[in-house]
Amino acid sequence: MNEVYDPRCIANLMLDESARIGQPLTNLALQKLLYFAHAMFLIEQGRPLVSGYFEAWEFGPVHPAAYQSFKSAGAAPITFRATKLNVVKGTREPIASPTDPEIVRHISRIIQSYGRMTPGRLVDISHAKGAPWHFVVDKGRTSLAFGMRIPDEVIRERFKHHKVSVGSQPSAGEPSEDAPFA
């Protein structure tokens, strides 16, 4: 299937998977994991995972639509799922989860690999020098960058080339392990 998903439906799937392994997620962590899932999917499948776009915010890439759905959790672990508005009835309704086994496996892999990292560590990874977030922020300092959006082309080209330290804690100096992130 070549469906591009509502970012809230993928975020809900991530929350379900993280709950399954007993690892609650904050909105900050969820935003980074959603970004990593989208970036890896772009590279591996050659197409976007979620609709819309990511923006370069202070603490890394953020999907505005997903952020709005979970911002009420603040810095606390998210205990609810995003819903959608039924404009005809004027009611909030659940968002259907993806049923494509490829998508479910992809999200499970992301949560298994990165879901136990601290939000600070996820921010460190998303801010890696030369990575898409860093590239857009750096470009914004020297030229016009509309809304600090991180285009999929930039994600595809920059995400797969940089290396990051993979560990469960925020870095405190030199990384001890370098591994390709993608």
Side-chain angles (χ1 to χ4, degrees), residues 144-173:
L144 190 58
F146 293 103
M148 299 300 276
R149 285 188 183 183
I150 307 173
D152 281 348
E153 303 80 53
V154 171
I155 294 172
R156 187 180 292 116
E157 286 308 308
R158 297 214 157 250
F159 192 91
K160 65 184 175 183
H161 293 297
H162 77 276
K163 291 185 175 193
V164 296
S165 167
V166 176
S168 61
Q169 299 301 316
S171 61

Side-chain angles (χ1 to χ4, degrees), residues 12-161:
N12 283 348
L13 181 59
M14 293 183 135
L15 290 164
D16 291 345
E17 181 63 18
S18 67
R20 189 184 69 74
I21 67 168
Q23 182 62 48
L25 295 177
T26 62
N27 197 6
L28 179 64
L30 180 63
Q31 290 297 320
K32 300 321 149 245
L33 295 169
L34 182 62
Y35 166 73
F36 296 156
H38 178 74
M40 289 180 176
F41 198 80
L42 265 174
I43 291 163
E44 294 167 2
Q45 302 299 321
R47 60 189 173 89
L49 175 63
V50 298
S51 60
Y53 54 88
F54 288 85
E55 292 179 343
W57 288 20
E58 180 181 0
F59 294 108
V62 171
H63 196 294
Y67 175 81
Q68 288 299 319
S69 293
F70 298 105
K71 74 178 182 178
S72 66
I78 299 169
T79 58
F80 57 92
R81 300 300 177 260
T83 58
K84 63 181 177 180
L85 177 65
N86 179 324
V87 292
V88 175
K89 296 179 183 175
T91 57
R92 306 278 330 158
E93 297 179 352
I95 298 172
S97 289
T99 55
D100 182 338
E102 175 187 31
I103 301 302
V104 174
R105 276 191 307 275
H106 179 70
I107 297 309
S108 177
R109 181 173 57 107
I110 297 297
I111 296 299
Q112 290 293 329
S113 298
Y114 305 100
R116 295 187 196 279
M117 290 182 180
T118 66
R121 183 71 197 111
L122 295 170
V123 169
D124 282 352
I125 292 169
S126 71
H127 282 64
K129 185 171 175 60
W133 178 90
H134 180 266
F135 176 80
V136 168
V137 169
D138 200 46
K139 187 173 179 151
R141 290 184 183 119
T142 59
S143 63
L144 190 58
F146 293 103
M148 299 300 276
R149 285 188 183 183
I150 307 173
D152 281 348
E153 303 80 53
V154 171
I155 294 172
R156 187 180 292 116
E157 286 308 308
R158 297 214 157 250
F159 192 91
K160 65 184 175 183
H161 293 297

